Amino acid sequence: QVCPRLRTPRLPVWLCSITGRHGVLFGTDSRLLSDWKMERVFHLYFYNGQPEQTKTAHLTIDTHSHHWEEGQSEEPSSPGKRRPSVEMAIRTKWSGATVSWNGIDPFF
């Protein structure tokens, strides 16, 4: 039998398979599970256990950013428009969200 806490976690957590590697994307604010207003700007953490990741990535997610605030001069297929796979995975839940890596170099 599955423990009730495993069926309904107290904190938001997602197991991810990104580009063939597994990782955990999680938040530390339980209100993200129950209050839709908390989905405006919030923090998530990503850890994959790979040697190139020396510490958990702290990400700031803004779901009300505007796509036109990004650079207009770049072509959609240009290297500057490519996004890390972690960001694309986040956007499957929060379409159009911007992700700040808070000073670390994006990976994946």
Side-chain angles (χ1 to χ4, degrees):
Q1 184 176 8
V2 176
C3 175
R5 288 191 186 113
L6 290 177
R7 291 182 294 208
T8 308
R10 290 186 180 189
L11 296 171
V13 61
W14 296 271
L15 299 176
C16 306
S17 177
I18 301 172
T19 63
R21 295 182 181 179
H22 294 88
V24 178
L25 186 65
F26 62 95
T28 57
D29 188 348
S30 62
R31 293 176 297 171
L32 191 58
L33 293 171
S34 60
D35 186 358
W36 62 269
K37 291 178 254 175
M38 295 304 298
E39 292 186 10
R40 167 69 171 86
V41 176
F42 55 94
H43 302 279
L44 293 178
Y45 300 87
F46 181 74
Y47 184 74
N48 65 2
Q50 298 297 317
E52 65 270 10
Q53 186 179 5
T54 57
K55 64 179 187 174
T56 302
H58 172 215
L59 310 172
T60 301
I61 316 302
D62 183 352
T63 60
H64 286 80
S65 60
H66 302 101
H67 64 84
W68 57 83
E69 292 174 350
E70 295 184 40
Q72 296 289 325
S73 60
E74 296 179 3
E75 292 294 318
S77 61
S78 71
K81 282 291 195 182
R82 292 185 182 168
R83 301 288 185 233
S85 300
V86 173
E87 289 185 28
M88 300 310 293
I90 290 168
R91 288 187 181 126
T92 62
K93 171 120 175 92
W94 295 284
S95 179
T98 58
V99 179
S100 169
W101 288 76
N102 297 308
I104 64 168
D105 291 329
F107 51 90
F108 270 96

